[in-house]
Amino acid sequence: EAQLVESGGGLVQAGGSLRLSCAASGFDLADYSIGWFRQAPGKEREGVSCISSSDGTRYYTDSSMGRFFASSDNAKNTVYLQMSNLRPEDTAVYFCALDSSPWGARICDVVSQWNYWGQGTQVTVSS
């Protein structure tokens, strides 16, 4: 059964760093665009960073630009989100997602487009 399993969330102080991992089984990451999303309490799920499988183009929001970095290790079939200089407003459940569209960076703001999701990992940033 194909699945995505996130890990690496936790409690961190403002200004700290975390690296989230997403282990993909049953997928060949080279065939999928990769996305990281988050959902804060009472808010809609939103894209944080996405990578197009076609050419590696990365998309970042204004909030994540310069602080977050998405990457993948195809040999390990694992996707990562390195987060630094974390802020209390980054507190959310973070999800990884895959989609067969080769233009993932273009659809990072269209949550409904993404077909495969992990269960999420909680990130809490204290002030």
Side-chain angles (χ1 to χ4, degrees), residues 22-79:
C22 174
S25 58
F27 296 98
D28 183 343
L29 288 182
D31 295 334
Y32 293 87
S33 287
I34 295 161
W36 282 97
F37 299 79
R38 67 186 183 188
Q39 188 165 17
K43 294 189 177 181
E44 293 186 352
R45 193 169 299 187
E46 63 177 0
V48 173
S49 180
C50 298
I51 306 174
S52 293
S53 61
S54 57
D55 59 3
T57 299
R58 286 179 169 80
Y59 168 87
Y60 294 95
T61 65
D62 289 343
S63 175
S64 64
M65 178 74 74
R67 299 189 302 126
F68 294 3
F69 182 75
S71 63
S72 66
D73 185 334
N74 288 2
K76 295 183 178 179
N77 235 29
T78 302
V79 176

